């Protein structure tokens, strides 16, 4: 098996010696309060079956990818359901992954630097969902979904719901339908 490592070269304080540091290129940090398991998505898109990497709360571990899919999923230890796949090899500044076992979900950050990639999981906190959808009408139903997704959600009159991406690897636009009106919003732009 080939291992991808990060190499950092710095001069010592005396400027006579170079300090060469080798680190795992991919690192997973669990800053959440839960014990998690991370699994690599197979090249055919199937979820992992037996190969899950355990990461305790407040732990940081090296990650050595075994295939070229570039996608991971996460689950809470002891639960069968897992998150939707997300890219671990693309910069991501906080995607909310919906988990049925949790009220809200878990956040994933992927920080790519020249010598390493750090995948960080943290607890959901108020304001970390991409959108809060409110149907303020007293009579009409609002239907919405992620652009390109088949999974359409329904919001009854006077209901409120947090929105999480149905497919974190897909197009990050919200489409909606209300009465005869339709629209689309790019939630990543202000």
């Amino acid at each position: 098996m080939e291992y991808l490592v990060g190499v950092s070269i710095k001069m010592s304080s005396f400027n006579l010696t170079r300090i060469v540091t080798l680190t795992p290129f991919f690192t997973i940090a669990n800053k959440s309060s839960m014990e998690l398991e991370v699994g690599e998505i197979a090249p055919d898109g199937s979820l992992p079956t037996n190969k899950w990497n355990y990461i305790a709360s407040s732990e940081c571990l090296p990650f050595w990818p075994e295939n070229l899919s570039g996608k991971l999923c996460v689950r809470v230890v002891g639960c069968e359901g897992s998150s939707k796949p997300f890219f671990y090899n693309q910069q991501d500044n906080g995607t909310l992954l919906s988990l049925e076992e949790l009220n809200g979900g878990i956040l994933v950050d992927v920080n790519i630097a020249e010598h390493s990639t750090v995948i960080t999981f943290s607890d959901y906190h108020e304001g970390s969902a991409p959108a809060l959808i409110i149907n303020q009408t007293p009579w009409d139903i609002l239907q919405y979904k992620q652009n390109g997704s088949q999974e359409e959600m329904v919001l009854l009159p006077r209901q409120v719901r947090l929105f999480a991406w149905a497919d974190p690897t897909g197009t990050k636009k919200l489409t909606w339908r209300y009465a005869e009106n339709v629209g689309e919003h790019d939630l990543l732009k202000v």
Side-chain angles (χ1 to χ4, degrees), residues 83-104:
S83 73
K84 300 284 185 176
F86 62 92
F87 288 112
Y88 66 82
N89 57 4
Q90 296 178 11
Q91 183 73 29
D92 188 344
N93 297 324
T95 294
L96 177 61
L97 301 174
S98 180
L99 292 171
E100 293 175 11
E101 296 81 17
L102 301 175
N103 186 13

Side-chain angles (χ1 to χ4, degrees), residues 1 37-41 47-54 63-67 72-73 75:
M1 185 172 180
E37 291 178 315
V38 177
E40 192 173 2
I41 302 298
L47 294 174
T49 51
N50 333 357
K51 183 82 168 144
W52 288 90
N53 299 307
Y54 171 79
F63 171 63
W64 307 104
E66 294 182 1
N67 64 55
L72 292 175
C73 63
R75 69 180 181 188

Side-chain angles (χ1 to χ4, degrees), residues 24-28 88-90 110-113 115-119:
F25 190 79
F26 294 101
T27 305
I28 299 175
Y88 66 82
N89 57 4
Q90 296 178 11
V110 180
N111 294 310
I112 298 176
H115 304 292
S116 66
T117 297
V118 179
I119 305 150

Side-chain angles (χ1 to χ4, degrees), residues 17-142:
T17 306
R18 290 190 178 148
I19 301 170
V20 179
T21 307
L22 301 173
T23 58
F25 190 79
F26 294 101
T27 305
I28 299 175
N30 182 5
K31 294 184 178 179
S32 76
S33 59
M34 298 163 285
E35 295 178 335
L36 301 175
E37 291 178 315
V38 177
E40 192 173 2
I41 302 298
D44 64 0
S46 62
L47 294 174
T49 51
N50 333 357
K51 183 82 168 144
W52 288 90
N53 299 307
Y54 171 79
I55 302 172
S57 179
S58 302
E59 190 174 40
C60 185
L61 295 174
F63 171 63
W64 307 104
E66 294 182 1
N67 64 55
L68 300 174
S69 73
K71 297 178 187 176
L72 292 175
C73 63
V74 63
R75 69 180 181 188
V76 177
V77 170
C79 298
E80 288 299 316
S82 64
S83 73
K84 300 284 185 176
F86 62 92
F87 288 112
Y88 66 82
N89 57 4
Q90 296 178 11
Q91 183 73 29
D92 188 344
N93 297 324
T95 294
L96 177 61
L97 301 174
S98 180
L99 292 171
E100 293 175 11
E101 296 81 17
L102 301 175
N103 186 13
I106 193 159
L107 290 170
V108 61
D109 286 300
V110 180
N111 294 310
I112 298 176
E114 189 176 337
H115 304 292
S116 66
T117 297
V118 179
I119 305 150
T120 306
F121 296 104
S122 56
D123 290 329
Y124 167 81
H125 59 274
E126 191 172 323
S128 59
L132 174 66
I133 301 176
I134 304 170
N135 185 353
Q136 291 184 331
T137 66
W139 56 85
D140 277 333
I141 293 174
L142 174 69

